[in-house]
Amino acid sequence: MDDLSAITAALAEVGPRLKRLRIQRDVTLAELAAATGISKSTLSRLESGQRRPSLELLLPISQAHQVPLDELVGAPEVGDPRIRLTARKVNGNTVLPLTRQPGPIQTYKMVIPARRTEPELCTHEGYEWLYVLSGKLRLLLADHDLVLGPGEAAEFDTKLPHWFGSTGEGPVEILSLFGRQGERIHVRARPRSSKK
């Protein structure tokens, strides 16, 4: 069924739905007319399908019956908005891709096991941004040897020798944004500087 046919079919069902609702609530056309300010004849034509439904007519009816507008027009239910992602193991880490579409920047949630403590520096094209959710992340980057805790972030050009893993104290959970072509991550919100 194409979009136009679906709309036509939905509109054709509005009248019978309005009539069923009114009868179930044991409300007469005269009572509904008094409650909505819409004439009895207009309500009757609307229920029989002789009058096309409009927001100006449906909103007062919705308020009078105290039902959502969606119920009057038979709007389809919105599907479950949750995204079901599948984690995979990559080099001993649990990696959950959060980006579903191909694009310049990909986002991952990673869990690095406590046993991943042996540095193996690498270089490649790209730019990476890391945010620590939990645990302690050890980051080796060129001449730097850093430990990042929850709430801390780092960004770097992946052409620099780098490695990240656990400090050995426990697993580390991070968010990683990676741009293969060297795209930098632009953070627009910045914390206010505290004035003392």
Side-chain angles (χ1 to χ4, degrees):
M1 180 181 285
D2 65 4
D3 290 344
L4 187 56
S5 300
I7 291 169
T8 303
L11 287 174
E13 288 299 313
V14 171
R17 188 174 291 112
L18 291 174
K19 187 171 186 173
R20 275 193 307 273
L21 182 62
R22 182 178 58 77
I23 291 169
Q24 285 170 353
R25 292 176 180 250
D26 198 26
V27 174
T28 66
L29 278 174
E31 291 168 334
L32 188 57
T36 61
I38 301 170
S39 72
K40 243 174 63 172
S41 63
T42 299
L43 289 171
S44 177
R45 289 194 330 269
L46 191 58
E47 288 183 358
S48 67
Q50 296 173 358
R51 173 81 188 251
R52 193 171 173 100
S54 67
L55 279 176
E56 291 80 16
L57 296 173
L58 294 177
L59 285 174
I61 296 170
S62 169
Q63 289 175 331
H65 287 311
Q66 296 184 345
V67 296
L69 189 59
D70 291 0
E71 193 174 316
L72 295 183
V73 296
E77 286 187 29
V78 175
D80 188 343
R82 292 175 293 183
I83 299 171
R84 308 238 191 291
L85 303 170
T86 305
R88 61 182 195 265
K89 289 284 188 184
V90 178
N91 299 326
N93 300 322
T94 302
V95 178
L96 185 67
L98 301 176
T99 312
R100 295 178 48 152
Q101 303 297 327
I105 296 178
Q106 297 295 302
T107 307
Y108 304 92
K109 180 178 177 184
M110 297 173 66
V111 179
I112 302 167
R115 68 181 177 281
R116 185 162 183 237
T117 58
E118 201 59 45
E120 293 178 27
L121 293 167
C122 66
T123 61
H124 50 85
E125 289 293 321
Y127 205 86
E128 186 142 11
W129 182 86
L130 302 172
Y131 178 83
V132 180
L133 296 167
S134 66
K136 289 186 179 177
L137 179 77
R138 183 176 177 206
L139 171 64
L140 298 181
L141 180 63
D143 296 332
H144 300 283
D145 188 343
L146 306 165
V147 174
L148 284 76
E152 292 188 289
E155 63 177 333
F156 54 92
D157 187 328
T158 57
K159 287 183 262 182
L160 293 171
H162 65 280
W163 172 88
F164 53 88
S166 172
T167 60
E169 298 174 43
V172 185
E173 190 174 8
I174 65 170
L175 289 179
S176 167
L177 280 74
F178 177 72
R180 291 193 184 281
Q181 305 304 317
E183 297 88 347
R184 292 191 64 161
I185 308 307
H186 298 286
V187 180
R188 296 187 189 273
R190 301 216 183 267
R192 288 185 186 175
S193 60
S194 59
K195 296 181 180 175
K196 295 182 180 180

